[in-house]
Every structure is written in structure tokens, then in C-alpha cells.
Amino acid sequence: MKKLLFLSLVILFSSCKEESSQAVALSLAPGNWRLTFDLGNEKALPVQLKVNKDQTLTMYNADEEITVTEITIEGDSIFIKPPVFEGYFKGKFQSNELITGEHVKPSLDRVLPFTMSAGENYRFAESKNQTTSSFISGGYETVFSPDSESDRYIAKGVFDQKGDKVTGTFETTTGDYRFLQGSVINDTLKLSTFDGAHAFLFEAAVKDSVLEGYFYSGNHWKEPFTAVLNNDYNLPDATTLTYLKEGYDSIDFSFKDVNGNQVSLQDPEFKDQVVVVQLLGSWCPNCLEETRFFQDYINSQNPDVKFIGLAFEYAPTEKAAMQSVKRLIKAENVTYPILLAQYGSTDKKTANEKLPMLNHVLSYPTSIYIDKTGKVRRIHTGYNGLATGQKHERFKEEIYEFLEELQAETLE
């Protein structure tokens, strides 16, 4: 009788323990969430999220939507790995509707604290006494780090304002700052974006068609900028910034692909072919967009044009760098070879040593267009991404037309 009673108690205890475990099982509450990065010094960078019914995440930046499927929950811990890029979230559930933790980039040794809160469907907090007296739609002649000779660079801000809501981007000579979203409140402009790895915040005072403020890249970089309304302002022609040194009319290289095979422009598959060589990094958001652009061209326009990617990776080892490249290829279904040109650093001076025929490597991405005779016909610095709107459409039409012209040329 005692044994039977003991056995019954054990079964009852085990059953209660199992029910208790099931009761505290944690998951992401479906619906709207707000992700906030703590940049320090009371600066917060917000991003809007949605948890879908299948427990995937969607991140929103203006017209951009990024779906995150790699999510692991163990006890009260959660691990979130956005697509393509190296960074990941590791957090703790404070409840089903509140998560705190860190976003980590291992290769760069960067850690950014974050909070995720359910039920919040806004980007920047609004105040009861807010007003919107400023209207900033238009193009802005912009200078970042204007007082620093080494860090100074030019840009063009392009914004569209509806009510107090603002979308747009900053175009630079090396690429754009992607899809920015925010608002103008009490004559203060706030814009943010997060693509899964890169967290950008722009804050500026608005006065008489002039913006003066700061750009924050995560918690590791801060710089001032000024922008003046000038709808006629344009950046330098992207095809004039990088060029071949005197005495050269072609380029050459030999690097390993992800299977360990050496690939060169001298290989038979590239002989008498139009070739586009892409300088990129798997960590680079503009490079990701350009990769999608090139792959779409192959799929929808002309599979006969050859593409080769040269990856310049900050991952510290060759193995880690190759894994990053493989992740990019798999995530985007890339059908052209991407070779590992450099790892352990993305330094452009070092990259230039790999391609000494160029005057400099100014930007990732840079695309080099080569005709059927092997001559370089155009070098395009940077990439005009989808966030640039009509500029991207014009760029797309121009590149399609140029590739068609190269492909139509005959060998004599």
C-alpha cells in the first residue's frame, strides 16, 4: 500500500511538473512589436517589427520588409539570426511581451543592447504637445563631418514628408543609407533604419530649409552633418570616380571560389564574353542590393552575360570569411561565382593591392564592365539602391541598355 501511494505521488508530481513546464513555455506574442537599440547617452534607435503567426519576424523600414526565419527559443532565452549578415540577437524573455538582450557582431567585437516590446506600433515616441511646423520634402546638399579633413564626405539627402512622417535616404558617392523612416516633431528630424546588421540613426534640428545634426552608426560611430535644401544639387558621376591607371586597358586576378577552386578572367568560360566584375562584401547592405540586381538581370534578361564577385571580408579567418560568402550565395540564390579576394580586413588600400591597375578602391560595391575583347569599358562606384527611387530606376535602365550594347558587339 505504501509503495502504491509513493508511486502515485511520483506520477502526480511528474505530471504537475510537466504541466508547469508547459505552462511557462515562452513564445513571441503575434502582432506588432517595437525594437529599440540603446546607443548610450540617452539615445535610442527604434525599429518597427511584426511577429507573424508562424513565429517568424518581419522588420519594417519605409517600403522595405525583411523577413527573419532563424529564431530559436530555449527556456527563457531567445536567439534571432537575421538573413545574410553576420550579426545576431541573444536575449532573455522578461515576459511573452518583453525581451531584453544584445545584438552581437562577433568579427567586429561589437555589442549593442536592445529591448523588444510587444503591442507597440510606432517608431519614434510622440508627445502630447508636439507640433509639425517644418516641411522638409526635397533634395538637400549634405556634408558629413564638415570640419574633419579625414572623415569629411559629401551626400545628397532626398526626403518625402507626409504630415509629420518622413521617408527617404542619403545618397553618397559610395552608396546610399538605405530605407530611412521617421518624423519631424517640434522642428526636430529623426530617422532610423535597421537591416538586420546595420543600425543607423539620424537626428537634426530643422530651421529655414537647413538641417544640422548627427548621424549615429550603432554605438560605435557618431558624426555631425549639415544639409541645405537644393533640389538642383547632384553628386559626381559614379562612372568617373574609379578608373584604370595609365597604361592599362584591362584587369586580371585569380582567387578561390567557395569550393576552393582558383578562378581567373583567363578561364575559358570568360573568353570572348561580356563580363561584370563586382567588388563586394557579404557584410555590405549596398552590395547585397547590387547582388540581387545582378542576379535578377541574369534570371530575367540575359544569362549569357558573365558575372564574377570578388569578396572583401572582415571575418578574421579564411574559413569564417568563406562561410559568410556561402551564406550570401545560399540566401540570395546567387548563380555566379563569388571569390574570396581578402579576409581579416576590408581596408580599401589593401584591397587596391589586389587590383593594382585601378587608381583606387573607393567603395564596396564597385562594378567593372568588360567587353568581349577583355577591355574595361566602364567602372561604376557605389550602388544606387531601391531607396533612391527614380534614381535607381534610371540606373537600372542605363545598365540594361549598356549591357545590351556590349553583348551586341561582334569580335573582329
Side-chain angles (χ1 to χ4, degrees):
M1 184 67 180
K2 289 182 179 180
K3 289 184 177 179
L4 182 60
L5 180 60
F6 176 76
L7 182 59
S8 298
L9 288 172
V10 169
I11 293 172
L12 180 62
F13 176 76
S14 298
S15 176
C16 290
K17 185 177 180 181
E18 183 178 347
E19 288 178 7
S20 175
S21 175
Q22 290 175 349
V24 298
L26 294 167
S27 62
L28 293 168
N32 296 314
W33 286 64
R34 185 169 182 257
L35 167 65
T36 306
F37 292 104
D38 181 2
L39 307 186
N41 297 317
E42 300 183 350
K43 290 296 180 184
L45 190 162
V47 183
Q48 289 168 281
L49 307 176
K50 183 178 181 181
V51 175
N52 305 307
K53 292 181 180 180
D54 61 0
Q55 289 291 286
T56 60
L57 281 173
T58 303
M59 300 186 295
Y60 297 95
N61 301 296
D63 293 332
E64 179 182 52
E65 297 184 8
I66 301 170
T67 300
V68 183
T69 60
E70 293 184 52
I71 302 171
T72 303
I73 299 175
E74 295 182 358
D76 64 350
S77 297
I78 184 169
F79 180 90
I80 302 172
K81 183 74 175 72
V84 183
F85 301 122
E86 179 192 47
Y88 61 86
F89 295 87
K90 59 177 183 179
K92 292 281 187 181
F93 280 91
Q94 307 304 315
S95 70
N96 271 347
E97 298 182 341
L98 179 64
I99 299 169
T100 59
E102 297 174 331
H103 181 266
V104 182
K105 288 185 180 180
S107 294
L108 295 176
D109 195 27
R110 290 177 185 167
V111 177
L112 190 57
F114 77 88
T115 300
M116 281 177 57
S117 304
E120 298 185 356
N121 188 24
Y122 64 94
R123 206 168 190 94
F124 290 96
E126 300 179 356
S127 64
K128 294 182 180 179
N129 299 320
Q130 74 181 50
T131 60
T132 305
S133 58
S134 298
F135 187 73
I136 69 162
S137 289
Y140 285 75
E141 185 174 353
T142 307
V143 181
F144 286 88
S145 295
D147 298 324
S148 171
E149 184 177 347
S150 58
D151 295 327
R152 185 183 188 277
Y153 60 99
I154 59 175
K156 180 179 180 179
V158 182
F159 308 114
D160 181 37
Q161 181 176 344
K162 292 180 174 62
D164 63 354
K165 306 304 181 187
V166 180
T167 57
T169 194
F170 286 97
E171 303 168 5
T172 78
T173 56
T174 60
D176 62 83
Y177 276 113
R178 311 278 295 133
F179 291 90
L180 303 180
Q181 181 178 349
S183 55
V184 175
I185 298 174
N186 299 330
D187 296 326
T188 298
L189 171 66
K190 294 185 178 182
L191 297 166
S192 67
T193 191
F194 177 67
D195 62 7
H198 308 87
F200 298 154
L201 172 69
F202 298 83
E203 291 189 348
V206 183
K207 185 178 180 181
D208 299 329
S209 299
V210 177
L211 312 178
E212 291 190 348
Y214 286 90
F215 162 48
Y216 302 82
S217 181
N219 56 3
H220 68 276
W221 177 254
K222 172 186 175 182
E223 66 179 339
F225 72 90
T226 60
V228 180
L229 182 64
N230 182 358
N231 286 310
D232 296 325
Y233 177 69
N234 288 301
L235 293 170
D237 185 345
T239 64
T240 65
L241 302 174
T242 306
Y243 51 85
L244 293 177
K245 293 177 181 176
E246 187 175 353
Y248 290 94
D249 62 7
S250 62
I251 66 169
D252 196 17
F253 54 80
S254 180
F255 300 114
K256 290 180 182 178
D257 66 13
V258 293
N259 298 313
N261 303 313
Q262 289 289 138
V263 177
S264 166
L265 283 175
Q266 307 308 316
D267 293 345
E269 65 179 297
F270 304 115
K271 182 176 174 57
D272 301 335
Q273 301 293 324
V274 175
V275 181
V276 181
V277 177
Q278 175 195 26
L279 279 58
L280 76 151
S282 66
W283 46 269
C284 163
N286 295 122
C287 301
L288 175 59
E289 268 208 274
E290 186 182 63
T291 299
R292 290 171 175 166
F293 175 76
F294 287 156
Q295 188 60 54
D296 182 67
Y297 178 85
I298 295 169
N299 295 341
S300 66
Q301 300 297 315
N302 193 337
D304 294 329
V305 174
K306 303 298 182 182
F307 291 81
I308 308 175
L310 304 184
F312 296 80
E313 300 294 312
Y314 60 60
T317 66
E318 181 178 8
K319 181 179 179 181
M322 281 294 193
Q323 286 299 323
S324 295
V325 175
K326 288 178 181 178
R327 181 177 173 84
L328 169 63
I329 291 172
K330 181 179 179 180
E332 299 302 322
N333 297 312
V334 180
T335 59
Y336 59 90
I338 298 181
L339 319 180
L340 182 59
Q342 182 174 303
Y343 64 89
S345 169
T346 59
D347 180 73
K348 296 183 180 73
K349 290 183 179 179
T350 305
N352 205 173
E353 295 173 2
K354 310 293 173 56
L355 297 166
M357 63 288 298
L358 300 180
N359 67 319
H360 56 204
V361 174
L362 180 63
S363 168
Y364 306 111
T366 294
S367 51
I368 304 171
Y369 296 80
I370 302 170
D371 67 18
K372 294 178 182 179
T373 70
K375 291 183 178 180
V376 172
R377 297 283 290 274
R378 177 181 295 184
I379 301 177
H380 191 283
T381 302
Y383 180 72
N384 305 306
L386 291 169
T388 65
Q390 292 182 355
K391 186 171 184 177
H392 175 267
E393 290 303 313
R394 291 193 298 270
F395 168 79
K396 178 179 178 179
E397 293 174 5
E398 181 182 338
I399 292 301
Y400 277 21
E401 182 178 344
F402 183 60
L403 286 174
E404 288 178 10
E405 291 174 1
L406 293 182
Q407 192 67 6
E409 293 176 353
T410 57
L411 291 165
E412 296 182 359

